Amino acid sequence: AQSVTQLGSHVSVSEGALVLLRCNYSSSVPPYLFWYVQYPNQGLQLLLKYTTGATLVKGINGFEAEFKKSETSFHLTKPSAHMSDAAEYFCAVSEGSSASKIIFGSGTRLSIRP
Amino acid sequence: GAVVSQHPSRVICKSGTSVKIECRSLDFQATTMFWYRQFPKKSLMLMATSNEGSKATYEQGVEKDKFLINHASLTLSTLTVTSAHPEDSSFYICSAQDQETQYFGPGTRLLVL
């Protein structure tokens, strides 16, 4: 069975500071990993995904994540936070084959201080 | 990028009535669509996997007779909440699979009075 753990339900950083959202996964097969962002009362937008190949994945809005198999982690980072980054972020895992169901983490709410 | 729409975006209904929510993939064909439910300040819970032309596969604990799913075409899946009750009030989100990526709809907020 697959699972995702997001450490920290709420993260607050200052504008311009580094953003680090932590995600650890559990999977019995090579995983596909995702980060989604959700703004209030909206659906989910894909930030980035890892399938195979390069372990450092770059996404939209300046975000990136690194797949570390030895640590079973897929942490999300952004060098400099913007006020517009304030949202809920979900890490997710799937088994990788087409039409696989996605298992979501509990989410991390990111707040940006002026 | 791929776009998924949901209709309606918000619906209020009386207890005991049924509500239908549509999920459409606008610029691609999706053989598989998924339905999720999200409680306030909570994560998404997968309810069922919908495959075009076949019966949906429901997750454990989800009542298939209460949450009817139909996937009649490659661009449309519907979720019908039958005999809705206040505890069915929630945010329902669908997604459509395009090869290896799921694209999510904007969600439908259901309030049952």
Side-chain angles (χ1 to χ4, degrees):
Chain A
Q2 296 178 305
S3 66
V4 177
T5 302
Q6 290 184 241
L7 298 177
S9 60
H10 182 209
V11 171
S12 179
V13 302
S14 298
E15 190 175 18
L18 171 71
V19 175
L20 171 61
L21 304 183
R22 299 178 186 274
C23 172
N24 288 89
Y25 70 91
S26 173
S27 178
S28 58
V29 299
Y32 281 21
L33 295 160
F34 310 84
W35 275 100
Y36 288 89
V37 60
Q38 184 180 34
Y39 296 97
N41 297 311
Q42 294 186 27
L44 274 70
Q45 181 181 9
L46 179 67
L47 277 177
L48 49 81
K49 65 177 179 180
Y50 168 80
T51 56
T52 58
T55 56
L56 182 62
V57 181
K58 294 186 183 299
I60 62 172
N61 301 339
F63 285 94
E64 63 182 37
E66 186 171 10
F67 170 60
K68 292 187 176 181
K69 184 178 179 180
S70 61
E71 298 178 8
T72 61
S73 69
F74 191 58
H75 301 331
L76 181 71
T77 60
K78 181 174 180 177
S80 177
H82 290 180
M83 295 300 292
S84 60
D85 295 326
E88 189 85 18
Y89 291 80
F90 293 96
C91 182
V93 63
S94 76
E95 290 183 347
S97 61
S98 61
S100 294
K101 62 183 182 182
I102 291 180
I103 305 300
F104 285 87
S106 56
T108 297
R109 182 164 61 91
L110 176 63
S111 298
I112 312 296
R113 301 188 299 270
Chain B
V3 179
V4 176
S5 70
Q6 282 184 241
H7 178 79
S9 59
R10 179 186 294 260
V11 57
I12 301 173
C13 69
K14 293 182 179 179
S15 184
T17 61
S18 295
V19 175
K20 179 184 286 187
I21 302 170
E22 294 185 347
C23 176
R24 294 181 184 272
S25 55
L26 298 184
D27 48 4
F28 66 100
Q29 293 184 329
T31 55
T32 303
M33 290 185 173
F34 301 84
W35 286 95
Y36 295 83
R37 182 174 179 176
Q38 186 178 31
F39 293 98
K41 299 184 179 181
K42 298 289 186 182
S43 187
L44 281 73
M45 179 192 76
L46 179 65
M47 299 174 66
T49 302
S50 168
N51 291 297
E52 186 266 338
S54 63
K55 291 183 178 181
T57 302
Y58 289 81
E59 295 299 301
Q60 190 174 6
V62 178
E63 298 177 60
K64 62 180 182 180
D65 294 330
K66 180 167 188 60
F67 298 100
L68 301 179
I69 292 172
N70 182 276
H71 193 161
S73 77
L74 290 173
T75 60
L76 174 64
S77 176
T78 61
L79 168 68
T80 301
V81 183
T82 62
S83 186
H85 289 282
E87 58 264 30
D88 299 324
S89 299
S90 193
F91 195 50
Y92 293 88
I93 302 176
C94 74
S95 70
Q97 180 96 14
D98 174 13
Q99 298 179 342
E100 294 179 334
T101 300
Q102 284 187 33
Y103 296 95
F104 287 79
T108 296
R109 186 162 301 283
L110 171 63
L111 177 61
V112 184
L113 302 177

